[in-house]
Amino acid sequence: YHLQGSTNGQSVCYGLFYKDELVQVQTFGKPRYDKTSDWEAIRLSTKKDWVVIGGIEKGWKKFLKDKNPKSVISYNSLNISFGLSDKMQGFVLEEIQSPQAMFCLTKTRPGFPKFLRESSVRRQGIDRLLPDYSKYYDRPYDKNDKSTHNEEVLIQLGYVKVYDCGIAKYR
């Protein structure tokens, strides 16, 4: 149910259950971006249409008891969160990162991700991120051809370029 979808890197996962049904999950792992912290709070997700009062606090206390971390970092997409749960757990806002460009898929294309960060597209290239793109693109993608740019390919595939609201980094 997380608005940003699934992720990798979590090694500690806590779930809260109601009548044998999982209703909330908190995950933690080694920091993915900022290596100065011991841990990163990676995901918090609650079942659709549910509010779990005190659930975040329970997961956080369990994590502190089990792992006794020296430092924990957390990131909040300002598109979807103001970081209230992090502030409630004692996190302090460290920085707000600038809005970033991403591409959003407007058509149904099986196997194609709904969102692609522009930085990932630049770093990895279309051919690695979308191995089947050539089925939908009218000419071969050539990394050496300056007239065929990642953005042009993505637009023809049905992506539009949008900007997020930035990321809040808490410690």
Side-chain angles (χ1 to χ4, degrees):
Y1 292 105
H2 199 280
L3 290 173
Q4 292 175 290
S6 62
T7 188
N8 296 320
Q10 55 269 23
S11 57
V12 176
C13 304
Y14 297 113
L16 290 174
F17 292 82
Y18 178 75
K19 296 184 179 177
D20 295 326
E21 182 178 12
L22 181 64
V23 294
Q24 189 173 68
V25 174
Q26 277 180 279
T27 69
F28 302 87
K30 294 298 171 193
R32 298 170 294 170
Y33 312 109
D34 181 327
K35 305 300 183 191
T36 63
S37 282
D38 295 337
W39 289 91
E40 180 181 339
I42 297 177
R43 286 285 194 265
L44 167 67
S45 189
T46 305
K47 185 177 177 181
K48 185 179 178 186
D49 299 325
W50 277 69
V51 174
V52 180
I53 296 170
I56 297 168
E57 186 177 9
K58 283 184 181 188
W60 179 242
K61 284 182 177 179
K62 176 79 171 136
F63 173 72
L64 292 177
K65 181 182 174 200
D66 290 352
K67 298 300 177 185
N68 192 27
K70 292 179 189 141
S71 62
V72 181
I73 200 158
S74 179
Y75 299 92
N76 282 289
S77 168
L78 295 174
N79 296 345
I80 59 174
S81 172
F82 295 114
L84 296 176
S85 60
D86 285 332
K87 291 174 192 170
M88 289 170 49
Q89 303 313 312
F91 282 82
V92 175
L93 178 64
E94 188 168 272
E95 73 174 299
I96 295 180
Q97 300 171 355
S98 302
Q100 300 291 313
M102 64 177 62
F103 294 94
C104 177
L105 186 60
T106 61
K107 299 178 180 179
T108 301
R109 297 236 190 264
F112 280 46
K114 182 76 173 164
F115 298 99
L116 290 169
R117 288 213 165 270
E118 184 179 49
S119 57
S120 297
V121 171
R122 249 193 336 267
R123 191 173 54 250
Q124 297 181 44
I126 297 295
D127 50 340
R128 284 191 58 209
L129 289 171
L130 305 172
D132 293 334
Y133 79 93
S134 61
K135 293 178 187 176
Y136 304 97
Y137 189 65
D138 64 6
R139 64 181 180 166
Y141 176 66
D142 181 356
K143 286 183 182 179
N144 300 317
D145 179 0
K146 298 299 179 198
S147 67
T148 307
H149 296 288
N150 287 331
E151 191 165 337
E152 175 192 329
V153 174
L154 289 170
I155 289 168
Q156 185 166 342
L157 292 173
Y159 284 88
V160 294
K161 190 174 186 177
V162 296
Y163 288 83
D164 67 15
C165 296
I167 304 287
K169 179 179 173 184
Y170 290 89
R171 191 174 300 271

